[in-house]
Amino acid sequence: MDLAQFSQQLINGISLGSLYGIIAIGYTMVYGILRLINFAHGDVMMMGCFFAYYGILMFSLPWQFSFIIAIALTAILGIIIDRGAYRPVRKAPRISALITAIGVSFLLENAGIVVFGGRQKAFFRPEMFDSIITFHGIRFLNLAIYVPIITLTLLGIILLIIYRTKVGRAMRCISHDMETTRLMGVDVNRVIAITFAMGSAAAAAGGILWALKYPQINPLMGIIPGLKAFVAAVLGGIGNVGGAMIGGLILGLAEIMLVAIRPDLSGYRDAIAFGILIIILLFRPTGLFGEKLPE
Amino acid sequence: MLKIRDLNVHYGGIHALKGVTLDVPESKIITLVGANGAGKSTLLRTISALVTATSGSIKFTGHEILGMESHDIVQDGIAMAPEGRKVFVNLSVSDNLLMGAYNRKNAGEIKTDMEWIYSIFPRLEERMSQQAGTLSGGEQQMLAVGRALMSRPKLLMLDEPSLGLAPLLISEVFRVIGQIHDEGTTILLIEQNAMAALNIADYGYVMETGKIVLEGTGRDLLNDERVKKAYLGESI
């Protein structure tokens, strides 16, 4: 593999990895606060894509508006899921919440099939993201440049909220000790709702970028990116927002590079993610940047 | 100020509070002493709505607070420094104090109060940007008390503030409790260190297995034979 090829794959890997990363943020934020793996997260991402799709198709919105409205609607969907599904089982054993999450996932997928239909739909790619860049023999869609820029900007905004605002401070306190945080006068349910809104908005943004990159959407499209983002979150140390992005980048690069080096193994692409998951769980269950397990 | 009437709490199959009746009049220090497991912490946790009561009534400044949510109770003016300090170890000292002022909006007042806390606990000022987890046990206790005060409570509840502290620090903690009281805060103090608590308190209650078994002024209880035998003998 020469330098040009390597650079090409590097760009592909970073672009794919930052998508895993932005979706992984939602997993990791919710886990950090509730110790809940929100298995419906990939499906929330799918919903974001469909909101954007119908915004353009049915309401003929300019794509910018449609994307922003879709992100906002997905944030609201996250709040509704928390309110309707997770809050009622907040005090139940953790396994109940996990099963609830799987239930929400099936609900979204199957409701999607009923409402949107199961067939692939072509996602609209605005001209802005549709030009090919040629540079010293490397050819790639300019979207591959936009994706890491947009995801890193979103990551920056999310980190600012978590580390520089009052509600972010409350999030960090809840993840440490929910009960004592209540004693500070924090409306914990409200902070959890905001967490779901942020994670879901990030998933929607990631989903829309995903749909721009692979411009076909269907109600089951969230499953594989969702699972891989989950692996990325575990790899980065679940609960650690920056770690989720780095986990995503590592995963994306690993996948792309394996296929580039050994094209004959391309059928095993998805196996890499789950192989990494198994290795991490065996040797370093707290992930690369995870905090030590609480007492 | 706080009137608890016939409060019953069941807790994982255990009848933890059995018809507790207790009064905290304004601007007094009231203490609740008793052995480990008597239900003292459960009482405070019920007042703060961390635990749900089965029956009874808790009135604060005239209105019922039983059934309200924890954050509304803090907003109403009841703050607690919980047992075991429970500072946010991953946050700095000053961020811990800011958490205590979560529902307050006036940044100027919050700043004034932080300075007030630092004047009570100069050690905290020296360590304001340090992570709370790096503080010693005594400093964490001061932080927990300071953090509770940051909500400007009408009633401050302290759960075992002397637990696990060296004797010198214990007297420091009780000195500070006296100072906070002198500056106008009503205090409900839970202690296993019955001697020190009854000394400082205007009125005391003794709790055993979920029931109030004795009550009286701090002085009376200190002189009570039963109290002497059960609690003071060991703690002196």
Side-chain angles (χ1 to χ4, degrees):
Chain A
M1 189 161 59
D2 61 21
L3 187 65
Q5 271 178 315
F6 178 77
S7 314
Q8 172 101 51
Q9 301 306 340
L10 194 66
I11 290 168
N12 291 342
I14 288 173
S15 150
L16 177 66
S18 51
L19 286 178
Y20 289 151
I22 193 78
I23 301 168
I25 286 172
Y27 273 112
T28 223
M29 284 182 76
V30 166
Y31 182 85
I33 277 200
L34 290 179
R35 300 290 180 268
L36 162 73
I37 303 291
N38 179 14
F39 274 116
H41 192 61
D43 306 300
V44 169
M45 169 207 131
M46 170 276 290
M47 292 296 287
C49 295
F50 274 92
F51 289 148
Y53 174 82
Y54 284 112
I56 296 170
L57 193 83
M58 287 176 69
F59 302 101
S60 333
L61 295 170
W63 61 269
Q64 297 93 330
F65 285 119
S66 165
F67 289 179
I68 287 168
I69 289 169
I71 290 170
L73 286 177
T74 313
I76 293 167
L77 176 70
I79 296 175
I80 293 171
I81 290 172
D82 170 52
R83 185 72 187 81
Y86 300 144
R87 195 151 136 192
V89 293
R90 197 93 87 212
K91 285 184 179 144
R94 216 176 286 168
I95 190 76
S96 311
L98 195 69
I99 294 166
T100 307
I102 295 170
V104 172
S105 168
F106 287 165
L107 176 73
L108 290 178
E109 286 163 17
N110 291 291
I113 291 173
V114 172
V115 177
F116 309 136
R119 271 188 309 150
Q120 294 275 9
K121 292 183 166 51
F123 197 80
F124 168 75
R125 184 189 282 162
E127 260 173 57
M128 180 179 160
F129 301 115
D130 208 15
S131 68
I132 304 279
I133 296 178
T134 314
F135 179 81
H136 289 289
I138 317 169
R139 277 170 54 85
F140 54 91
L141 203 59
N142 65 349
L143 182 69
I145 301 293
Y146 280 112
V147 166
I149 291 173
I150 293 170
T151 51
L152 287 176
T153 308
L154 289 173
L155 172 69
I157 294 170
I158 289 169
L159 287 175
L160 266 178
I161 293 174
I162 294 175
Y163 287 99
R164 288 282 177 272
T165 68
K166 199 159 104 166
V167 74
R169 196 186 299 130
M171 284 173 187
R172 285 180 287 143
C173 287
I174 293 174
S175 90
H176 174 66
D177 182 344
M178 186 183 291
E179 192 168 82
T180 306
T181 311
R182 286 186 204 280
L183 290 178
M184 303 297 107
V186 176
D187 184 347
V188 165
N189 280 329
R190 191 166 159 266
V191 177
I192 292 172
I194 294 170
T195 308
F196 269 93
M198 284 169 63
S200 304
I208 290 168
L209 291 171
W210 188 281
L212 291 173
K213 192 169 158 69
Y214 308 105
Q216 288 211 309
I217 63 172
N218 72 73
L220 303 182
M221 66 178 283
I223 299 175
I224 288 293
L227 284 173
K228 292 203 182 151
F230 169 64
V231 175
V234 174
L235 176 60
I238 193 145
N240 182 324
V241 174
M245 182 56 81
I246 294 171
L249 286 171
I250 293 174
L251 187 59
L253 282 167
E255 265 187 25
I256 296 286
M257 289 300 174
L258 176 99
V259 176
I261 295 165
R262 291 284 302 274
D264 55 314
L265 291 181
S266 62
Y268 290 96
R269 201 175 137 165
D270 291 347
I272 293 187
F274 304 113
I276 288 178
L277 179 64
I278 290 168
I279 291 167
I280 282 279
L281 290 178
L282 280 177
F283 296 107
R284 201 178 160 86
T286 55
L288 295 177
F289 307 99
E291 290 166 26
K292 291 196 180 68
L293 291 173
E295 325 76 68
Chain B
M1 176 178 251
L2 185 77
K3 285 184 193 300
I4 301 174
R5 291 290 172 269
D6 201 23
L7 188 68
N8 283 286
V9 172
H10 292 79
Y11 210 32
I14 299 164
H15 196 175
L17 295 183
K18 300 167 187 160
V20 171
T21 292
L22 181 148
D23 280 301
V24 183
E26 189 158 357
S27 70
K28 300 283 191 221
I29 300 186
I30 302 303
T31 188
L32 178 63
V33 298
N36 222 344
K40 306 185 302 290
S41 291
T42 305
L43 180 65
L44 289 204
R45 292 164 57 79
T46 311
I47 298 170
S48 283
L50 296 177
V51 173
T52 319
T54 339
S55 66
S57 147
I58 304 177
K59 285 210 164 101
F60 182 63
T61 59
H63 63 274
E64 184 66 47
I65 59 166
L66 210 59
M68 279 169 59
E69 291 209 53
S70 298
H71 58 95
D72 292 325
I73 289 170
V74 177
Q75 189 98 323
D76 248 22
I78 303 181
M80 159 150 64
E83 184 180 3
R85 316 188 252 276
K86 304 280 176 65
V87 297
F88 299 111
V89 292
N90 48 341
L91 265 61
S92 70
V93 168
S94 55
D95 276 357
N96 266 274
L97 292 177
L98 283 175
M99 277 309 292
Y102 192 80
N103 280 325
R104 298 175 58 192
K105 303 268 181 285
N106 187 324
E109 278 176 29
I110 293 175
K111 197 161 176 286
T112 316
D113 280 1
M114 267 181 110
E115 277 156 17
W116 172 55
I117 304 288
Y118 288 144
S119 73
I120 305 176
F121 304 111
R123 300 277 290 193
L124 295 184
E125 185 164 25
E126 290 165 28
R127 293 162 199 274
M128 58 190 282
S129 46
Q130 238 170 280
Q131 284 216 327
T134 65
L135 301 182
S136 72
E139 290 162 348
Q140 290 192 9
Q141 185 61 60
M142 292 168 190
L143 181 55
V145 174
R147 185 182 62 180
L149 284 172
M150 283 301 291
S151 67
R152 275 269 162 163
K154 296 175 192 138
L155 171 64
L156 173 66
M157 304 195 294
L158 302 169
D159 194 346
E160 303 271 8
S162 74
L163 192 73
L165 298 186
L168 204 68
L169 278 171
I170 294 183
S171 54
E172 169 71 7
V173 164
F174 278 97
R175 185 191 63 73
V176 167
I177 293 171
Q179 183 184 345
I180 293 164
H181 170 248
D182 291 342
E183 294 182 28
T185 309
T186 309
I187 292 173
L188 174 56
L189 168 69
I190 283 190
E191 262 301 333
Q192 282 191 65
N193 189 338
M195 179 79 170
L198 291 171
N199 252 319
I200 197 178
D202 295 298
Y203 199 82
Y205 293 83
V206 180
M207 197 172 212
E208 263 171 27
T209 57
K211 276 191 218 145
I212 303 286
V213 292
L214 263 182
E215 59 180 282
T217 61
R219 186 173 301 275
D220 285 350
L221 289 180
L222 275 174
N223 293 323
D224 189 284
E225 286 305 319
R226 286 166 293 178
V227 176
K228 273 186 185 166
K229 213 169 167 187
Y231 302 106
L232 302 180
E234 291 169 5
S235 60
I236 289 171

